[in-house]
Amino acid sequence: MLTREKHIDTLLIHSGYDSRQNQDSLSPPLYHSSTFTFESAEQGEKRFSGEEDGSIYSRLGNPTVHILEERMAILEKGTSALAFGSGMAAVSAVLFHLTNTGDHILSSRGIYGCTFALLEMLEEKYHIEHTFSSLHSADEIEGAIKENTTCIYVETPINPTMDMIDLELVVSVAKRHGIPVVVDNTFSSPYLQNPLEIGADYVVHSATKYISGHGDVIGGILIGTNKEEMETIRATTRKDIGGIMSPFDAWLLLRGLKTLHVRMERHVENAIKIAAYLKQHPLVEKIYYPGDEESSQYPIMQKQMKAPGGILSFTIRGGKNEAQAFMNQLKLIKIAVSLGDAETLIQHPATMTHAVVPLDARLNMGITENMLRLSVGLENPDDLIDDLEQAFSSIKKEIVTG
């Protein structure tokens, strides 16, 4: 009898781990050891040469971390995964792997502030140039590709404008030129979107966000479709630069993954309700949410995502002063960067996550002084709406008369 593929809800809890190989422990063991012993000098030689599998040293690989990597590879439908000490360590590793001096990276116009800074550093120090593009049409993508383009880097949904990139379109053009595509899937999680299934070559996650879900881990994950390429990154870039994940953080992320499906359903449910509230509010100029059926982003979201996610942005009437005044009046919603936590978080991209981006580039990305980004948490949505309403009421007079 054929065994059908397990649903993601089940894979989140069971994939990549066999309790029978771990003293029948229901929970994956935490191997909090920096190094591992060999039975003989000859065994040590075989492990270092790759002739024999087994643990050597936790910078090279750790059993707890390996369980997380196996699970993430299965969830994202890749051949293998690598865990890193942060999301930016994962981003750096894949870009280092795919580029040499004189190469060119084509990137989506909107990206996380630190990714923007990394691209700027690569160009300034190592002469790896980059170009930003909206990637909205085949002609635009073709026109932005150069002879030395070795990578297309994409965020979708884009932070914080929530613009959607049509991955099927980008991949189809990239494949004609033999250029690998890297997708930052942090905002969606593997529960809502699987870029590798659409044809991307690599997926990166800031595991700090939805993978963890509890705001207590810093971590990154890289998943790829080519096992040989991934092993090269493992054996060179990650090993030698050393941006590894600790065993305890991997253990926490494995625990967080077990509830990802339950959490994401609630994040989305809450975000849809809050987006509807904000859309009709007279002090809100515009909302940016892929779940808005009147948005030009909605058809792309429907095509490549299971649901529109738990992040939204909106612009408030006024400028930076009004945006900050509104934030300061919130009582339940916390002012903090990051996202994907149980708590609802609000931040001001222009002065926080994207402060490193120069003003002209920031405006070109669509990040204005009156834009706020909301990571919708797991609280009761009525309580969140009450908090937003009292904050609007507190600053209504200065917005109207300002």
Side-chain angles (χ1 to χ4, degrees):
M1 184 178 76
L2 293 175
T3 303
R4 63 170 173 76
E5 184 178 350
K6 299 288 191 301
H7 292 92
I8 189 170
D9 315 52
T10 301
L11 295 174
L12 285 164
I13 298 170
H14 294 283
S15 61
Y17 177 65
D18 186 347
S19 61
R20 294 169 297 181
Q21 297 177 4
N22 293 276
Q23 300 293 315
D24 298 318
S25 173
L26 179 64
S27 176
L30 172 55
Y31 289 90
H32 227 317
S33 181
S34 59
T35 195
F36 299 86
T37 61
F38 310 125
E39 293 180 358
S40 65
E42 289 78 12
Q43 184 185 57
E45 179 183 8
K46 288 179 180 179
R47 289 192 182 178
F48 267 91
S49 69
E51 185 180 342
E52 178 183 305
D53 291 334
S55 298
I56 299 174
Y57 183 66
S58 277
R59 178 162 54 82
L60 312 181
N62 175 279
T64 307
V65 176
H66 182 67
I67 296 168
L68 173 66
E69 292 171 339
E70 287 286 303
R71 187 160 297 177
M72 286 301 302
I74 292 168
L75 294 172
E76 280 288 14
K77 306 181 189 303
T79 59
S80 56
L82 296 170
F84 292 85
S86 69
M88 283 310 303
V91 172
S92 301
V94 70
L95 292 183
F96 290 161
H97 174 69
L98 293 174
T99 58
N100 291 299
T101 298
D103 286 343
H104 170 253
I105 298 168
L106 175 58
S107 172
S108 53
R109 179 164 293 152
I111 53 172
Y112 174 48
C114 289
T115 308
F116 178 91
L118 173 65
L119 293 179
E120 292 285 296
M121 182 181 71
L122 289 175
E123 183 155 339
E124 179 183 342
K125 284 191 156 189
Y126 306 111
H127 306 291
I128 299 168
E129 59 179 337
H130 61 273
T131 300
F132 295 112
S133 167
S134 70
L135 306 175
H136 283 169
S137 70
D139 287 343
E140 184 177 1
I141 300 168
E142 291 278 3
I145 290 174
K146 302 183 179 183
E147 287 187 4
N148 59 337
T149 302
T150 59
C151 169
I152 298 179
Y153 184 89
V154 176
E155 273 188 23
T156 182
I158 290 175
N159 180 12
T161 60
M162 305 309 297
D163 283 347
M164 299 290 300
I165 302 297
D166 187 335
L167 292 177
E168 187 178 31
L169 170 66
V170 173
V171 165
S172 66
V173 177
K175 287 194 179 303
R176 288 201 294 270
H177 293 267
I179 300 171
V181 175
V182 182
V183 179
D184 185 334
N185 202 32
T186 298
F187 271 34
S188 297
S189 86
Y191 186 68
L192 298 184
Q193 182 172 260
N194 297 118
L196 300 183
E197 263 198 325
I198 301 171
D201 301 278
Y202 298 94
V203 160
V204 292
H205 284 278
S206 172
T208 310
K209 315 305 193 291
Y210 286 116
I211 304 302
S212 165
H214 294 81
D216 53 9
V217 179
I218 298 291
I221 309 285
L222 171 67
I223 308 100
T225 58
N226 186 311
K227 189 159 189 170
E228 186 175 325
E229 293 288 310
M230 292 293 289
E231 286 304 310
T232 298
I233 298 172
R234 181 194 300 275
T236 56
T237 308
R238 190 179 72 167
K239 173 178 73 71
D240 297 332
I241 294 179
I244 63 163
M245 177 177 288
S246 78
F248 183 60
D249 286 345
W251 186 83
L252 287 173
L253 291 172
L254 283 165
R255 186 175 66 168
L257 276 172
K258 290 183 179 183
T259 59
L260 179 65
H261 54 305
V262 181
R263 291 186 284 108
M264 291 308 299
E265 294 286 351
R266 182 59 180 264
H267 283 303
V268 171
E269 179 185 335
N270 282 358
I272 289 172
K273 291 178 180 178
I274 289 173
Y277 161 77
L278 290 170
K279 188 174 181 179
Q280 55 77 43
H281 201 284
L283 300 185
V284 172
E285 287 184 342
K286 185 177 180 181
I287 66 160
Y288 301 81
Y289 184 56
D292 178 10
E293 295 183 10
E294 296 179 357
S295 167
S296 60
Q297 311 300 312
Y298 187 72
I300 303 176
M301 184 281 295
Q302 282 192 305
K303 181 167 73 167
Q304 65 193 35
M305 292 178 69
K306 179 180 177 181
I311 311 294
L312 60 89
S313 294
F314 63 98
T315 50
I316 195 168
R317 285 178 58 185
K320 183 178 81 169
N321 291 340
E322 288 74 18
Q324 291 182 333
F326 173 78
M327 295 168 71
N328 291 338
Q329 291 300 320
L330 293 166
K331 303 184 186 308
L332 177 63
I333 297 170
K334 306 303 181 185
I335 301 173
V337 295
S338 198
L339 55 103
D341 293 344
E343 297 85 357
T344 296
L345 308 177
I346 194 167
Q347 65 105 2
H348 185 243
T351 60
M352 294 181 179
T353 55
H354 291 70
V356 69
V357 182
L359 177 62
D360 57 342
R362 210 163 58 227
L363 293 175
N364 195 39
M365 291 179 182
I367 302 171
T368 57
E369 295 289 307
N370 62 339
M371 175 179 278
L372 296 169
R373 190 192 74 188
L374 196 67
S375 170
V376 182
L378 305 179
E379 303 96 339
N380 186 289
D382 292 338
D383 293 333
L384 295 173
I385 290 171
D386 285 347
D387 194 30
L388 292 166
E389 182 62 31
Q390 66 82 23
F392 279 124
S393 297
S394 297
I395 64 164
K396 181 177 180 180
K397 185 176 179 180
E398 59 187 273
I399 289 183
V400 172
T401 60

